[in-house]
Amino acid sequence: MAPTQTAPEWTADELAELAELKAKNEVLPEDAPRGLLSVRLSILTEDTTSPARQELDLRRHAVREGIRVVGVARDLGVSATKKAPWERKELGDWLNNRIPEFDLILFWKLDRFIRRISDLHEVIKWCEKFGKNLVSLNDTLDLSSPMAQAMVTFIAAVAEIEAANTRTRVSSHWEYTKQQDQWRIGKPSFGYKTARANGKLRLVQDSKRARVVRYMHAAAMRGVPANKIAKVLDRAKVPTYSNRKWNNQQVLRILRNPAVKGIRTEGGTKSTAYNSKPVLDKKGQEISVTDEPILTAEEFEQVQAALATRAKNKRHHEKNRRPTRFLGVVKHETCTNNINETNSYKTLSTGEEREYRYLRCPQCRKPGFVIPDPEHTYSALTQAVFEELGDYEVIRREYARGDENRRERKRLEESIAYYMTGLEPGGRFDKAGFIREKAESTLDALMADLAKIDPESTKDRWVYQSTGKTYRQHWEAGGVEAMEQDLLSAGITFELGRDAGGEVVGKLLIPHDVKKKLIKMGDNWS
């Protein structure tokens, strides 16, 4: 495999050596141990071991040890403390779906592969189950005995302590940095950029983006909804940070962020619901990191009041909200976007409030695509699914190891060679009478036993077995949730549209390889 496009640049010398090592790898025998290389890096700096160096070191080791490299799992910009090996994009695919293709995992150092002891225990159990081994270039690893596994756990404990120390250092650095009136770390909020003045790195206005923020502020003060502000920005082709389309959440996030005043803030991540808070100095004052704020403190408070008033005037019926059923399955035929379930409320003359639920395509407006009876649609979908797929057999994928049959085949081949040599002229069985007859009889029996061994059964492989029930039975027992999960994993959709007479019609779209996609893969990780 060639280096991926996401990897840092390889030098000409490195690429030349890579090609040479690949050529040596190609001539290794087919029965050589098959190795998967795992290359991981959190952040690339001058002090880290580059992915290119990691891979070349691993390939050199593989050539020396006669290990045939069958693939490279490169996970760059991935933290081993945040993502376990089976959760990473490339390595996870090998560990979950391509298990029969390799015999061992080769990595540069244990902390390049794993950093949490709990993850290591899980990987050791997985290796025992599937007959795999771990090989570290710069650590002595061996999973052959409980004592050896204890040593591996000790090494992992050291790596986890090291990771904890790193977090402590980073946290300490931030605690110091956030009290300074200059910009030291992080990405400025929308509308600002960094510039150096009087020896200090401070924030200054990014003229184009600052103008966008001021437009948002003026529009919000006039009572313009956030979704309409987003539409205007999209029509004007104003770029966002993420180069995606504008939406109401992005607009509200910018206007509600105190950092728009040019002050130091903390929080504001997805895990904190993007709720940024000002950082205060020892006197309890906000810390300014710019000399030219986009919004003044007074303007910021005014727009918060305007946004709060608009939000207060909206109806909120959180207790009656429910997630859209079959989300990702039910789509609009015209634009192929997901159809969502929503609700509206009407106050009757008696003062009673009645709730109405309906399905609609959020992307299609004026007149839009609306279906007033969600339950009828869901019923039509489930009926169509039962008719088309209900009688399919539920198949489960299991992993079968071939090591036992490999050992038996090797024993039989060695025994056959022994008797064939003995029956040759001058051999130990080259005698007339009982001894020769007995040897020939034994040889025939051995060859018959060898013929009974299916060559495929000597390989580690996936085996597909019936569960003894149909999908109709599976869905009747598991309910809507089980059907939703299966339809999504199989890529089955139910497209809704209108015929020439304006009637709503649904069409169930089933991939040609649906039986393969419906197979139950199982989960090998606890």
Side-chain angles (χ1 to χ4, degrees):
M1 291 178 63
T4 61
Q5 293 180 351
T6 56
E9 293 289 335
W10 287 53
T11 66
D13 289 342
E14 288 172 339
L15 288 173
E17 185 178 3
L18 177 64
E20 182 183 344
L21 291 169
K22 283 184 175 180
K24 292 180 179 179
N25 181 75
E26 292 295 326
V27 299
L28 289 173
E30 281 294 316
D31 60 350
R34 300 166 301 167
L36 167 65
L37 308 187
S38 173
V39 177
R40 186 198 64 81
L41 201 63
S42 298
I43 302 173
L44 182 63
T45 68
E46 293 180 357
D47 299 325
T48 56
T49 308
S50 74
R53 179 185 162 193
Q54 284 187 48
E55 184 170 335
L56 289 175
D57 285 351
L58 294 174
R59 285 186 178 274
R60 293 187 201 106
H61 178 79
V63 169
R64 285 195 303 269
E65 298 298 321
I67 299 171
R68 184 159 53 88
V69 176
V70 294
V72 183
R74 301 179 185 88
D75 292 292
L76 308 182
V78 176
S79 168
T81 56
K82 294 180 180 179
K83 280 191 176 291
W86 58 90
E87 296 173 334
R88 297 168 201 162
K89 184 176 181 181
E90 293 204 13
L91 183 58
D93 182 47
W94 284 90
L95 298 184
N96 291 301
N97 302 312
R98 305 180 65 178
I99 303 173
E101 299 178 34
F102 62 94
D103 302 310
L104 57 90
I105 305 172
L106 181 60
F107 41 88
W108 199 79
K109 205 172 186 298
L110 186 59
D111 63 2
R112 295 294 92 202
F113 179 67
I114 212 162
R115 274 197 182 262
R116 293 190 300 195
I117 295 178
S118 58
D119 291 346
L120 178 63
H121 285 315
E122 190 70 19
V123 170
I124 289 175
K125 287 193 298 181
W126 180 88
C127 287
E128 290 176 343
K129 178 180 179 180
F130 293 105
K132 309 300 180 185
N133 198 5
L134 304 177
V135 177
S136 172
L137 188 59
N138 292 293
D139 301 297
T140 303
L141 291 185
D142 183 6
L143 302 180
S144 60
S145 68
M147 181 60 71
Q149 292 177 14
M151 286 301 299
V152 174
T153 302
F154 173 75
I155 295 171
V158 173
E160 186 168 336
I161 293 170
E162 193 177 312
N165 290 338
T166 301
R167 288 195 298 271
T168 301
R169 287 195 299 271
V170 171
S171 176
S172 176
H173 176 62
W174 168 242
E175 287 299 321
Y176 167 77
T177 298
K178 72 181 185 181
Q179 293 294 324
Q180 308 303 307
D181 63 352
Q182 57 180 315
W183 195 263
R184 289 181 179 269
I185 189 172
K187 183 169 70 172
S189 62
F190 189 88
Y192 290 101
K193 62 182 180 180
T194 57
R196 193 166 291 279
N198 300 323
K200 288 184 177 182
L201 191 66
R202 300 268 286 174
L203 294 186
V204 297
Q205 290 186 20
D206 181 324
S207 58
K208 292 182 179 179
R209 286 177 169 166
R211 191 160 61 247
V212 172
V213 175
R214 283 192 287 271
Y215 161 74
M216 292 181 188
H217 172 266
M221 293 300 297
R222 295 196 305 270
V224 178
N227 61 338
K228 289 189 176 180
I229 296 175
K231 282 188 176 181
V232 171
L233 296 177
D234 265 338
R235 284 199 294 266
K237 297 183 179 179
V238 175
T240 65
Y241 260 146
S242 58
N243 292 322
R244 296 178 180 175
K245 284 188 174 183
W246 284 93
N247 57 48
N248 62 329
Q249 292 302 314
Q250 289 174 315
V251 172
L252 293 174
R253 206 174 295 151
I254 291 171
L255 289 177
R256 287 173 175 165
N257 187 353
V260 75
K261 297 185 292 181
I263 63 172
R264 171 88 65 202
T265 61
E266 60 184 349
T269 63
K270 191 172 183 178
S271 61
T272 60
Y274 301 105
N275 186 20
S276 297
K277 295 181 179 179
V279 175
L280 305 180
D281 61 16
K282 295 179 180 178
K283 296 181 181 179
Q285 301 296 316
E286 295 177 347
I287 301 171
S288 175
V289 286
T290 185
D291 297 322
E292 43 183 38
I294 298 174
L295 297 182
T296 64
E298 183 179 359
E299 290 172 329
F300 180 76
E301 294 303 324
Q302 289 171 347
V303 77
Q304 301 314 300
L307 294 174
T309 300
R310 181 166 183 82
K312 187 176 180 181
N313 290 335
K314 284 186 177 181
R315 290 185 181 272
H316 289 286
H317 295 270
E318 297 290 343
K319 64 180 180 179
N320 293 325
R321 285 190 179 182
R322 69 184 185 197
T324 300
R325 283 173 286 179
F326 296 104
L327 183 63
V329 175
V330 181
K331 294 182 178 289
H332 186 194
E333 181 182 33
T334 304
C335 63
T336 69
N337 283 302
N338 291 336
I339 287 181
N340 299 335
E341 182 177 341
T342 186
N343 50 14
S344 63
Y345 297 85
K346 184 177 181 180
T347 303
L348 306 179
S349 57
T350 59
E352 179 188 358
E353 195 174 61
R354 179 173 294 178
E355 178 187 18
Y356 296 89
R357 292 190 180 274
Y358 56 92
L359 294 170
R360 71 180 183 91
C361 175
Q363 302 297 324
C364 298
R365 305 288 177 89
K366 295 181 181 180
F369 183 77
V370 178
I371 301 174
D373 188 358
E375 296 304 326
H376 177 72
T377 301
Y378 296 145
S379 176
L381 167 59
T382 53
Q383 183 179 348
V385 171
F386 273 122
E387 289 177 357
E388 294 291 334
L389 307 174
D391 294 331
Y392 281 18
E393 193 176 22
V394 180
I395 304 295
R396 184 172 296 279
R397 186 183 73 172
E398 302 289 347
Y399 189 74
R401 291 174 58 177
D403 48 1
E404 184 175 342
N405 280 348
R406 282 197 298 271
R407 287 193 296 269
E408 179 62 10
R409 184 177 67 176
K410 184 178 179 181
R411 183 190 71 80
L412 290 170
E413 288 173 344
E414 289 174 350
S415 298
I416 289 170
Y418 170 77
Y419 280 98
M420 289 184 70
T421 302
L423 287 168
E424 290 176 352
R428 67 178 65 192
F429 303 126
D430 185 25
K431 299 177 177 64
F434 175 77
I435 293 178
R436 184 177 184 89
E437 290 176 3
K438 188 65 175 176
E440 289 175 343
S441 174
T442 303
L443 178 61
D444 290 341
L446 290 170
M447 293 179 70
D449 289 343
L450 181 61
K452 292 176 184 177
I453 297 179
D454 182 356
E456 288 299 313
S457 70
T458 64
K459 302 175 183 176
D460 294 342
R461 65 207 182 279
W462 294 118
V463 175
Y464 300 90
Q465 299 177 337
S466 171
T467 60
K469 61 181 179 180
T470 64
Y471 273 97
R472 181 183 303 277
Q473 295 168 326
H474 170 62
W475 290 328
E476 286 173 348
V480 172
E481 293 79 7
M483 181 181 283
E484 282 180 339
Q485 185 177 354
D486 289 332
L487 297 185
L488 282 171
S489 63
I492 297 169
T493 57
F494 189 62
E495 289 191 351
L496 297 176
R498 295 189 185 278
D499 61 15
E503 292 294 323
V504 176
V505 292
K507 181 168 57 177
L508 190 66
L509 301 181
I510 301 175
H512 69 278
D513 57 347
V514 65
K515 288 187 177 181
K516 179 180 177 182
K517 290 184 175 181
L518 280 173
I519 291 172
K520 301 294 181 184
M521 301 299 185
D523 190 359
N524 299 311
W525 308 94
S526 58

